[in-house]
Amino acid sequence: MTIANTKSSAVFNANGVTREFSLGFVFDENVSTLSINVLHSDGTSTEVTSNYTVYNNVLTYPTVESGLDPLPTGDKLTVGRMTPHTQEIDLIQQGPLDAETLEGGYDKLTLEVQEL
C-alpha cells in the first residue's frame, strides 16, 4: 500500500440525509481501528460502537439495517484512525527478507507517525 496523504481523522457535518462518509484518509482494518463520535448540536457527545460499516474507505453510519435515522442537521461526526504502537515483524538471521513484510511494517509506522 502507499500512503499519499497525511490525514488521520475527519469531521463531517450531518444534514439529516447522508449516511455515507468518505474517510479521506488511509484506513486498513487489519492494522488500525476507528474512533467514531457524534458531537450533538446540544454540546453532548456519543461514542459510536455499533450500527456502522466501513467498505472501500467509506463509513456508513447509521446503517439502514439499524433502523436509526441519519444524523440530524447540526450534529457532527468525528472519525479518527487509531493504530497500536506495536511492532510484530520478526526477522530471522540469514532468513528470507520479504518485501511485502517490510512494506507493511513501514506503512504501519507511517500511520502511527501521522496520528502523533
Side-chain angles (χ1 to χ4, degrees):
M1 146 174 63
T2 60
I3 302 170
N5 70 44
T6 59
K7 291 179 65 175
S8 63
S9 63
V11 177
F12 304 99
N13 293 313
N15 61 11
V17 177
T18 303
R19 291 178 186 270
E20 293 186 348
F21 305 90
S22 180
L23 294 179
F25 58 84
V26 174
F27 173 68
D28 179 350
E29 65 186 18
N30 297 313
V31 177
S32 306
T33 58
L34 290 178
S35 169
I36 307 169
N37 290 282
V38 176
L39 302 174
H40 302 285
S41 58
D42 65 4
T44 61
S45 177
T46 303
E47 181 179 13
V48 175
T49 58
S50 61
N51 300 315
Y52 72 90
T53 61
V54 179
Y55 182 72
N56 283 341
N57 258 27
V58 174
L59 169 72
T60 302
Y61 178 77
T63 60
V64 173
E65 296 80 16
S66 71
L68 299 172
D69 292 329
L71 295 174
T73 301
D75 283 5
K76 293 181 186 236
L77 186 66
T78 64
V79 184
R81 182 185 62 227
M82 298 185 314
T83 305
H85 300 176
T86 58
Q87 195 289 97
E88 299 178 15
I89 297 173
D90 186 18
L91 300 175
I92 300 168
Q93 184 72 20
Q94 303 300 318
L97 191 58
D98 181 60
E100 289 297 318
T101 300
L102 290 177
E103 182 181 17
Y106 293 141
D107 288 348
K108 184 173 180 288
L109 282 171
T110 302
L111 298 177
E112 290 176 44
V113 168
Q114 288 177 343
E115 293 164 25
L116 296 174

